[in-house]
């Protein structure tokens, strides 16, 4: 007989320049970062009990990022998805701060030429926004295309990272 393990989930909500962010941990490891009104945001009842304890390092790094002091996150993550989704999300973490890649470029980097649409779908289901920087992916023409957190947030995050944030009106 094998013991079964039921994952413990906890969450907390933190303020950010882009509105409240809900952080979700599974067994103490960051598994979600969701914005208000985000597409593909799981139901609140799946977030577990409110408890800020597992989130100290994530909150510290997010604060440093929003203060312009951190450009690369260094946190353990629990990314739940298909192997293809996880490969896309891993590639997202390799896009340098302040830079962008197109969906087609990501597909090529993954050895999946012509799979830009599949990359876009995986990108849209990224469960850990900002830290896994899906906002850094744009259309081949340079257009912003979609963003689960809303195009206004995507535009503001990209402007923040490029140092042109003052040129974009704040909506939050």
């Amino acid at each position: 007989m094998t013991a079964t393990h039921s994952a413990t989930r906890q969450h907390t909500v933190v303020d950010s320049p882009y509105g409240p962010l809900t952080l979700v941990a599974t067994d103490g490891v960051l598994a979600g970062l969701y914005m208000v009104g985000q597409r593909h945001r799981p139901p609140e009842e799946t977030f577990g009990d409110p408890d800020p304890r597992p989130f100290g390092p994530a909150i510290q790094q997010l604060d440093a990022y929003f203060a312009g002091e951190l450009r690369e996150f260094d946190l353990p993550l629990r990314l739940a998805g298909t192997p293809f989704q996880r490969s896309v999300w891993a590639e997202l973490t390799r896009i340098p701060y302040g830079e962008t890649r197109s969906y087609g470029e990501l597909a090529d980097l993954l050895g999946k030429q012509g799979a830009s649409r599949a990359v876009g779908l995986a990108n849209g289901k990224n469960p850990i926004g900002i830290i896994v920087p899906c906002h850094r992916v744009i259309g081949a023409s340079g257009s912003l295309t979609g963003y689960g957190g809303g195009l206004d947030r995507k535009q503001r995050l990209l402007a923040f990272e490029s140092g042109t944030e003052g040129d974009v009106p704040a909506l939050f």
Side-chain angles (χ1 to χ4, degrees):
M1 187 182 258
T2 59
T4 59
H5 171 72
S6 176
T8 302
R9 291 182 58 94
Q10 298 142 316
H11 78 278
T12 194
V13 178
V14 297
D15 288 328
S16 85
Y18 306 94
L21 303 175
T22 300
L23 305 176
V24 179
T26 301
D27 293 332
V29 179
L30 188 65
L33 184 156
Y34 303 103
M35 300 173 191
V36 172
Q38 180 174 330
R39 189 181 325 130
H40 304 299
R41 180 183 169 112
E44 300 278 332
E45 58 269 15
T46 66
F47 293 163
D49 294 330
D51 184 350
R53 288 177 296 177
F55 303 103
I59 292 168
Q60 289 172 342
Q61 288 191 31
L62 283 165
D63 286 347
Y65 169 81
F66 294 131
E69 300 163 358
L70 179 81
R71 292 177 172 235
E72 195 172 317
F73 291 93
D74 180 24
L75 295 166
L77 305 175
R78 178 161 287 150
L79 291 158
T82 68
F84 179 74
Q85 287 172 330
R86 289 194 313 270
S87 71
V88 170
W89 302 333
E91 200 60 47
L92 295 176
T93 65
R94 294 183 187 98
I95 303 172
Y97 180 96
E99 294 185 22
T100 58
R101 299 288 182 271
S102 72
Y103 296 99
E105 287 173 321
L106 282 178
D108 290 348
L109 287 168
L110 292 165
K112 306 278 186 187
Q113 289 72 20
S116 58
R117 185 180 220 73
V119 166
L121 291 171
N123 194 55
K125 293 199 175 180
N126 170 20
I128 306 179
I130 300 173
I131 292 171
V132 176
C134 51
H135 60 277
R136 296 180 187 156
V137 184
I138 59 173
S141 67
S143 62
L144 293 186
T145 66
Y147 182 58
L151 287 179
D152 53 333
R153 281 192 189 107
K154 181 174 188 165
Q155 181 181 22
R156 289 187 58 226
L157 282 163
L158 290 172
F160 167 70
E161 289 187 1
S162 69
T164 60
E165 188 176 28
D167 301 339
V168 179
L171 299 175
F172 300 95

